[in-house]
Amino acid sequence: MKNSNKKPIIVTTLGTGTPILNPNRASQSILVEVAGYKLLFDTGRNVATRLKQANIPPALVTDVFFTHFHSDHTVGFADFWLSSWLPAGGARSVPLNVSGPAGTLNLIEGHRIAFDDDIKIRTKDQGLPLKGVDINVKQFNKCGKVFDQDDIVITSFEVDHGEAIKPNWGYKIEYSGKTVIISGDSKNDPQVSHIAKGSDLLFHSLGAARKEIQGYDDVAAILQHHTTPVEAAKIFSNSKPKLAVLVHMVLLGKPNFPPMSKQEILETIQKVYDGPITIAEDLMRFEIDDEVKVVPNL
């Protein structure tokens, strides 16, 4: 029976790309709308523009959570933060909440220093409120509960992305018996399948190249940080989410050996995993209620 007292969770993939510049795919950013909160996970390239395209003023985002500090997950923060302060971005007048692993404070302090002159000018020239550009930062030295308000519980968990890439977190969002897993960038970490078991929505990254070029040093160096299609299929088979969603697909190629196509990726996975799966596009919307509904690009 449908729970009429709880609204559905709505998830929008604002950015589904990689460090590779691609006008059709902004880099990593996922928006979760739940119980009146707009929660942003990572602020990749072009996130402010994607929010505008989704008809969501950046100022309405209440909280930001970082997974790790690769630039394709953080580089859009300045644009998002400062745009939300401007009238065209919704005129934020209260502080933004930002959370993440140790290192988050350095990231935010660097932005404050870099844009100090801009903030001073706009405060004096346009009369913009200083509170609207303020940031409340919470950084955590270990994984655990990072948010617990209005029946929304968000828990961070460590994910293997390579020896030098630490900290690297995923997030589990729980509300009204529904669960969304944002696994972050992952190097075939089996614990994701345990954390995501029975989840409604599981977002997972992927890296792939054709067998003929997997031995190239540059290709192998990148692939060692990512989950292959077969490895992802095994994680999905073990966790059995209502819907598995591929994001941040690092698809590598060489002359005469083009990157694997989306169809080839799906066919490879479906040889091992026969459950529901989709490849996310920017501005794809997922509605989680009694079932998971997918709405194509806005």
Side-chain angles (χ1 to χ4, degrees):
M1 184 176 179
K2 188 172 181 178
N3 185 344
S4 60
N5 295 320
K6 300 286 187 178
K7 292 184 178 180
I9 301 174
I10 297 172
V11 182
T12 305
T13 47
L14 299 173
T16 59
T18 69
I20 296 171
L21 295 170
N22 182 343
N24 296 317
R25 288 187 182 271
S27 59
Q28 276 300 286
S29 187
I30 295 175
L31 177 71
V32 177
E33 297 177 80
V34 54
Y37 292 85
K38 288 178 171 44
L39 312 171
L40 192 58
F41 294 83
D42 286 335
T43 58
R45 179 189 312 115
N46 215 24
V47 60
T49 302
R50 289 290 189 253
L51 282 166
K52 175 66 175 178
Q53 289 174 299
N55 296 314
I56 297 173
L60 293 185
V61 173
T62 54
D63 297 77
V64 173
F65 301 85
F66 286 111
T67 59
H68 65 297
F69 304 116
H70 269 153
S71 62
D72 56 309
H73 293 252
T74 64
V75 72
F77 181 78
D79 190 21
F80 156 74
W81 168 48
L82 296 171
S83 293
S84 74
W85 189 38
L86 302 177
R92 187 189 300 278
S93 60
V94 296
L96 173 70
N97 301 310
V98 174
S99 300
T104 299
L105 184 58
N106 284 343
L107 179 70
I108 298 306
E109 286 301 322
H111 279 80
R112 284 171 169 152
I113 293 169
F115 292 96
D116 183 60
D117 285 341
D118 176 64
I119 291 168
K120 288 177 179 176
I121 290 168
R122 291 188 186 279
T123 302
K124 183 176 182 179
D125 186 50
Q126 295 176 249
L128 299 184
L130 270 176
K131 277 185 178 287
V133 79
D134 199 7
I135 304 172
N136 297 324
V137 182
K138 288 184 180 180
Q139 71 170 18
F140 301 86
N141 292 319
K142 60 182 182 179
C143 293
K145 191 180 294 184
V146 298
F147 187 97
D148 187 354
Q149 296 182 45
D150 295 323
D151 298 324
I152 307 164
V153 177
I154 302 176
T155 308
S156 64
F157 55 93
E158 193 74 39
V159 183
D160 185 7
H161 191 23
E163 187 62 32
I165 309 170
K166 298 181 183 299
N168 181 67
W169 285 7
Y171 288 97
K172 181 177 185 177
I173 303 104
E174 299 173 280
Y175 175 74
S176 187
K178 307 299 181 186
T179 303
V180 176
I181 302 293
I182 298 172
S183 68
D185 290 4
S186 172
K187 175 190 174 182
N188 186 31
D189 194 330
Q191 79 154 336
V192 171
S193 63
H194 298 294
I195 292 169
K197 193 170 289 293
S199 58
D200 292 273
L201 203 55
L202 168 56
F203 291 95
H204 205 288
S205 62
L206 182 145
R210 300 185 187 278
K211 290 181 180 179
E212 294 88 345
I213 65 171
Q214 289 177 8
Y216 282 78
D217 288 346
D218 56 341
V219 173
I222 295 172
L223 290 182
Q224 69 171 326
H225 295 299
H226 295 283
T227 305
T228 70
V230 171
E231 291 167 343
K234 292 177 180 177
I235 288 172
F236 299 153
S237 294
N238 289 330
S239 58
K240 293 180 172 58
K242 285 186 179 178
L243 181 63
V245 184
L246 295 174
V247 293
H248 195 278
M249 296 200 306
V250 180
L251 306 180
L252 306 175
K254 290 280 187 184
N256 301 319
F257 298 100
M260 294 178 69
S261 69
K262 292 190 293 184
Q263 187 59 37
E264 288 174 307
I265 293 293
L266 285 176
E267 288 174 355
T268 301
I269 289 175
Q270 288 168 337
K271 289 177 183 177
V272 179
Y273 171 66
D274 62 0
I277 184 171
T278 191
I279 293 175
E281 304 285 345
D282 284 17
L283 297 174
M284 189 175 281
R285 177 185 172 106
F286 304 83
E287 298 180 359
I288 307 169
D289 202 341
D290 291 341
E291 57 185 28
V292 179
K293 298 178 182 178
V294 182
V295 180
N297 306 47
L298 297 167

